[in-house]
């Protein structure tokens, strides 16, 4: 069996990566003085809570308009998907693809990815543990990039401000979208990837005990 | 099972999969990765402190023009308007989007500035061997803030906005955008040059005496 720090009674400081012998459930790192435990405490419940919060925010973020565009005093509100549709109409495919991926596919994929990870931290699965680790890495990496839409609206609202002629204002949806991105980032942060490997290590044991039980029954 | 404390310095634990590995010997400029899950274990960098000092100081100086000078502007039918990073936040505040204004301020100004300041202070202190307990707080906060800086995302936001505006009206590019690009390069270089492993080892040695 692969050597695992938890099984050896060792812990690795999440901040400075010093390897320490764990004397208590939670202890202070002798090098950087940060208190930590072998696994993030209540990691799964925290991740679950933040993911649910993000999922709740995803609905108003897509239903409410992101920004209102005034031309000659005429307001025109557009949601994320409507905005993308406009780009496609004008034939601006590269921007349409960037925005579609950054503000629709990625947030949804992150939330689904987090649910998959939480499911696999509980039980072993078809995906190899290395693939799960990569999935976590992707979810973590994508975190800040979803903020793109919030920044675009902030810049557009400040720059396109030509009075009556044309101006852009932020709209309700942007608040929910921003909060959703922050919540998914917090969810990824509170998830402890090592739980995936713990679940993997437990799997062969339970299989063995079950096969032993079956053998006992057959006898 | 119980090992003497000295041998703990010769092993390294992977943060992603929790595997215990013997510490590989690497030269400056090389990286050590976990054989199980291919996560980065640690790396040694060349002249980490001098480079970090230079790059973070440049970044801090660039912060002022990057925030205050106008980034992009539009003009159509005789009217002209341009906006800087700080204008974006002020307009969001004026239109009562306090949460969004706070998010933009936090991720594009507050966190990057603290991040750069922490890197600069650490580099100076470690280089001149003036290590004190307060440095621990700075380096810990540097680690926490590492994943929350969004200058690169804001830059992509500027690019997308330019693409959108070009269609609507005439576009002008201000000095703010130039400074912002340079700031982005500096802040990226800081995370490339700052050697965590080196700093922690130095601090451990200094604070033990």
């Amino acid at each position: 069996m692969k050597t695992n720090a938890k099984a050896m009674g060792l812990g690795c400081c999440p901040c400075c990566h010093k390897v320490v012998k764990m004397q208590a459930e939670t202890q202070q790192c002798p090098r950087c003085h940060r208190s930590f435990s072998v696994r993030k405490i209540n990691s799964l419940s925290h991740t679950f809570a933040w993911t649910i919060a993000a999922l709740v925010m995803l609905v108003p973020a897509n239903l409410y308009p992101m920004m209102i565009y005034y031309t000659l005093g005429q307001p025109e509100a557009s949601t994320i998907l409507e905005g993308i549709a406009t780009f496609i109409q004008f034939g601006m495919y590269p921007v349409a693809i960037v925005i579609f991926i950054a503000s629709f596919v990625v947030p949804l994929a992150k939330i689904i990815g987090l649910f998959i990870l939480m499911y696999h931290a509980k039980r072993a699965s078809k995906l190899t543990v290395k693939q799960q680790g990569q999935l976590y890495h992707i979810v973590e990496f994508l975190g800040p990039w979803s903020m793109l839409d919030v920044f675009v609206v902030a810049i557009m609202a400040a720059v396109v401000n030509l009075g009556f002629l044309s101006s852009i204002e932020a709209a309700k949806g942007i608040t929910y979208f921003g909060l959703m991105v922050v919540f998914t980032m917090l969810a990824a942060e509170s998830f402890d990837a090592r739980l995936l490997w713990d679940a993997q290590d437990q799997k062969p044991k339970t299989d063995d005990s079950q096969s032993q039980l079956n053998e006992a029954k057959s006898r | 099972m119980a090992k003497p404390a000295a041998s703990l310095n010769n092993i390294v634990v992977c943060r992603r999969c929790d595997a215990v590995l013997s510490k590989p010997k690497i030269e400056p400029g090389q990286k050590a990765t976990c054989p199980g899950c291919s996560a980065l274990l640690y790396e040694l960098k060349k002249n980490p402190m001098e480079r970090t000092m230079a790059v973070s100081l440049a970044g801090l100086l660039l912060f002022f023009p990057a925030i205050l000078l106008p980034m992009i502007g539009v003009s159509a039918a005789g009217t002209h308007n341009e906006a800087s990073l700080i204008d974006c936040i002020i307009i969001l505040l004026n239109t009562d989007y306090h949460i969004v204004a706070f998010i933009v301020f936090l991720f594009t100004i507050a966190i990057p500035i603290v991040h750069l300041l922490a890197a600069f202070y650490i580099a100076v202190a470690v280089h001149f061997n003036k290590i004190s307990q307060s440095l621990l707080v700075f380096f810990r906060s540097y680690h926490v803030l590492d994943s929350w800086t969004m200058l690169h995302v804001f830059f992509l936001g500027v690019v997308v906005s330019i693409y959108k505006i070009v269609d609507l009206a005439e576009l002008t590019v201000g000095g703010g955008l130039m400074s912002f690009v340079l700031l982005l390069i500096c802040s990226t270089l800081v995370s490339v040059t700052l050697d965590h492993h080196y700093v922690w080892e130095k601090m451990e040695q200094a604070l033990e005496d």
Side-chain angles (χ1 to χ4, degrees):
Chain A
M1 198 181 131
K2 215 167 70 177
T3 41
N4 169 303
K6 191 188 181 186
M8 288 172 73
L10 300 174
C12 179
C13 173
C15 185
C16 71
H17 312 152
K18 188 177 172 62
V19 182
V20 244
K21 202 164 177 299
M22 295 303 286
Q23 256 114 21
E25 182 78 10
T26 308
Q27 69 178 44
Q28 207 181 35
C29 172
R31 181 153 76 177
C32 71
H33 296 199
R34 184 191 146 136
S35 61
F36 69 99
S37 34
V38 186
R39 295 284 180 269
K40 289 175 189 167
I41 292 168
N42 292 337
S43 163
L44 282 181
S45 357
H46 285 165
T47 314
F48 190 66
W50 286 122
T51 315
I52 293 290
L55 194 63
V56 169
M57 287 294 139
L58 188 71
V59 179
N62 278 288
L63 289 181
Y64 284 120
M66 297 292 269
M67 56 182 174
I68 306 167
Y69 181 38
Y70 293 92
T71 24
L72 304 172
Q74 288 270 300
E76 193 196 317
S78 65
T79 61
I80 298 174
L81 291 174
E82 281 167 7
I84 295 162
T86 329
F87 276 122
I88 293 172
Q89 268 172 20
F90 285 114
M92 295 161 85
Y93 297 110
V95 204
I97 291 168
V98 167
I99 297 191
F100 181 67
I101 291 174
S103 44
F104 189 76
V105 177
V106 166
L108 202 65
K110 264 200 311 193
I111 291 173
I112 294 170
L114 280 164
F115 275 119
I116 293 175
L117 286 171
M118 280 187 283
Y119 177 80
H120 289 319
K122 286 266 178 182
R123 61 213 95 196
S125 64
K126 279 179 201 161
L127 283 176
T128 67
V129 73
K130 202 167 173 179
Q131 282 170 334
Q132 293 168 24
Q134 278 162 350
L135 180 63
Y136 176 70
H137 189 65
I138 293 168
V139 169
E140 206 184 20
F141 170 80
L142 286 177
W145 288 103
S146 321
M147 208 52 116
L148 179 69
D149 234 43
V150 178
F151 293 149
V152 170
V153 172
I155 297 162
M156 294 291 277
V159 175
V160 184
N161 205 348
L162 299 171
F164 182 72
L165 193 66
S166 66
S167 67
I168 287 176
E169 244 179 49
K172 249 189 221 168
I174 199 72
T175 309
Y176 298 110
F177 191 86
L179 286 176
M180 193 249 333
V181 177
V182 174
F183 290 162
T184 49
M185 285 183 73
L186 287 168
E189 190 110 314
S190 47
F191 185 76
D192 197 328
R194 290 167 295 190
L195 291 173
L196 298 170
W197 274 268
D198 289 350
Q200 187 78 0
D201 289 344
Q202 272 161 15
K203 181 186 156 200
K205 274 183 210 161
T206 50
D207 281 357
D208 285 350
S209 58
Q210 259 176 2
S211 59
Q212 275 169 7
L213 270 178
N214 290 341
E215 273 174 34
K217 272 179 196 167
S218 62
R219 271 173 212 161
Chain B
M1 203 61 159
K3 288 187 172 185
S7 72
L8 286 181
N9 288 329
N10 298 325
I11 60 171
V12 52
V13 171
C14 175
R15 274 157 289 141
R16 205 191 289 168
C17 69
D18 215 26
V20 180
L21 306 150
S22 65
K23 199 180 227 172
K25 288 264 183 296
I26 57 172
E27 299 285 312
Q30 288 182 321
K31 287 177 184 177
T33 52
C34 173
C37 69
S38 67
L40 180 70
L41 292 173
Y42 67 93
E43 57 183 321
L44 290 178
K45 292 165 179 172
K46 294 170 186 167
N47 303 335
M49 291 304 110
E50 291 87 341
R51 289 185 186 183
T52 311
M53 228 187 324
V55 174
S56 55
L57 182 62
L60 285 172
L61 293 177
L62 279 166
F63 234 103
F64 299 97
I67 292 173
L68 299 171
L69 290 181
M71 289 186 132
I72 45 179
V74 284
S75 43
T79 45
H80 183 73
N81 182 53
E82 47 186 16
S84 62
L85 177 49
I86 210 98
D87 289 335
C88 294
I89 295 163
I90 291 168
I91 283 171
L92 284 172
L93 281 177
N94 287 343
T95 45
D96 281 342
Y97 287 97
H98 299 287
I99 298 175
V100 186
F102 180 68
I103 288 175
V104 175
F105 173 74
L106 197 66
F107 294 140
T108 59
I109 299 180
I111 290 178
I113 217 166
V114 176
H115 193 244
L116 276 175
L117 261 177
F120 181 64
Y121 179 55
I122 290 157
V124 171
V126 173
H127 185 70
F128 294 107
N129 248 323
K130 292 207 167 75
I131 297 168
S132 64
Q133 288 281 341
S134 67
L135 212 57
L136 292 173
V137 182
F138 271 86
F139 207 32
R140 279 210 314 266
S141 55
Y142 177 86
H143 277 276
V144 173
L145 296 179
D146 220 11
S147 53
W148 295 91
T149 60
M150 296 196 189
L151 290 175
H152 51 315
V153 184
F154 190 83
F155 177 66
L156 187 63
V158 174
V159 173
V160 171
S161 307
I162 289 175
Y163 215 176
K164 279 182 161 183
I165 291 167
V166 160
D167 226 39
L168 297 172
E170 211 174 309
L171 183 93
T172 53
V173 173
L177 187 60
M178 197 59 191
S179 324
F180 191 83
V181 172
L182 292 174
L183 167 65
L184 175 61
I185 292 171
C186 287
S187 97
T188 313
L189 280 177
V190 166
S191 34
V192 173
T193 56
L194 188 61
D195 192 331
H196 299 199
H197 194 68
Y198 179 83
V199 174
W200 283 123
E201 299 245 295
K202 278 269 174 192
M203 279 199 211
E204 192 173 29
Q205 283 167 14
L207 291 173
E208 258 174 18
D209 302 336

